Structures are given as structure tokens and as C-alpha cells.
């Protein structure tokens, strides 16, 4: 690990999450997605498609 890796972040991110139901193919199909974002930075985000229920993870 270099000293640069040990530098603390400039600010503690304020994270927020949002869920989406995304419809495609003219409404014939849809899926759920989760977005996790830093509220103070428009370029710091992660989006992933997800399942509706844990039972569907297989």
C-alpha cells in the first residue's frame, strides 16, 4: 500500500439509493434495478439490475 492509498477521502459521501422498474420491448418485458449514488457527486453512482425476491436468485 502506498501513502496515496492511505489518504482519507475529502468528504464522507452521502449515499442514497433508488429502485426502478424498467420496461423494455414496448412494455412486453420489465426488470428491476437498484441505483446507489453519492448525493453530492453526479458521476459517483452504481446501478445494477436485481431480482424482485431472493427466491428468484437461483
Amino acid at each position: 500500500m502506498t501513502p496515496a492509498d492511505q489518504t482519507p477521502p475529502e468528504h464522507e459521501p452521502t449515499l442514497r439509493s433508488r429502485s426502478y422498474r424498467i420496461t423494455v420491448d414496448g412494455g412486453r418485458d420489465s426488470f428491476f434495478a437498484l441505483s446507489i449514488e453519492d448525493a453530492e457527486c453526479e458521476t459517483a453512482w452504481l446501478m445494477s439490475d436485481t431480482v424482485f425476491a431472493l427466491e428468484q436468485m437461483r
Side-chain angles (χ1 to χ4, degrees):
M1 187 181 307
T2 65
D5 295 332
Q6 297 175 9
T7 306
E10 292 180 21
H11 74 285
E12 289 293 322
T14 303
L15 298 179
R16 64 180 174 208
S17 64
R18 296 179 186 185
S19 61
Y20 299 90
R21 182 175 183 176
I22 300 172
T23 303
V24 295
D25 294 332
R28 290 186 297 272
D29 197 10
S30 65
F31 62 94
F32 295 92
L34 174 68
S35 172
I36 301 172
E37 309 163 359
D38 181 342
E40 298 176 16
C41 181
E42 292 184 18
T43 59
W45 55 272
L46 170 72
M47 182 174 264
S48 175
D49 60 337
T50 186
V51 296
F52 183 68
L54 291 176
E55 294 82 24
Q56 296 176 353
M57 290 184 65
R58 298 175 200 230

